[in-house]
Amino acid sequence: MLYCYNCGNFTTGNAFYCNFCGRSYDVKLCSRLHVNPRSAEVCSQCGTRDLSTPQPKVPLRIRVLAFLGFVLLGMFETFIVVFLVGCLVVAFLTRQDVQRALLSLGFLAAALWIIWTMLPLWFRKFVYRLLQRTRKSREDNE
Ligand SMILES: [Zn+2]
Ligand SMILES: [Zn+2]
């Protein structure tokens, strides 16, 4: 009895091919049943290129399991990242001191910007000119 790694069925006796999917077991067979290794492209005894497809080296179920394992691992990693980000967000939302510091910084920036835009144009131009002059004088000194 032989077990087929391709389709997962048993074929009775000392079979050449799987009864269910037609694959050969671990060898490539030509139409005259000459036995060739897996890597053969041409039959070594009659020269035909008409060789059977051998069953996979690794059982299909194990490959499926390995694939599922990879998928699960990926999901696990994603879960960990989401969990860590969630923890950070929760810490940020629950820590009021952190919130207050960020909020006051934001308010300060907004207030400064509003004050700046409320200043008359001539004053802003004056400040710009002042800044340019100080930059120029600094360059002159160097
Ligand atoms: Zn089969
Ligand atoms: Zn042959």
Side-chain angles (χ1 to χ4, degrees), residues 35-54:
V35 176
N36 294 280
R38 271 181 175 280
S39 54
E41 293 292 325
V42 179
C43 176
S44 60
Q45 292 178 58
C46 67
T48 181
R49 285 180 173 271
D50 184 25
L51 296 171
S52 68
T53 310

Side-chain angles (χ1 to χ4, degrees), residues 30-97:
C30 76
S31 50
R32 295 181 198 172
L33 298 184
H34 298 138
V35 176
N36 294 280
R38 271 181 175 280
S39 54
E41 293 292 325
V42 179
C43 176
S44 60
Q45 292 178 58
C46 67
T48 181
R49 285 180 173 271
D50 184 25
L51 296 171
S52 68
T53 310
Q55 67 174 2
K57 264 184 189 166
V58 183
L60 193 68
R61 274 171 213 188
I62 286 185
R63 275 195 293 180
V64 169
L65 277 179
F67 175 72
L68 280 178
F70 272 118
V71 169
L72 280 176
L73 205 72
M75 275 165 69
F76 184 64
E77 276 170 17
T78 313
F79 172 75
I80 284 180
V81 169
V82 168
F83 180 73
L84 283 177
V85 171
C87 277
L88 276 175
V89 169
V90 168
F92 174 73
L93 287 178
T94 51
R95 285 290 297 268
Q96 287 189 339
D97 47 347

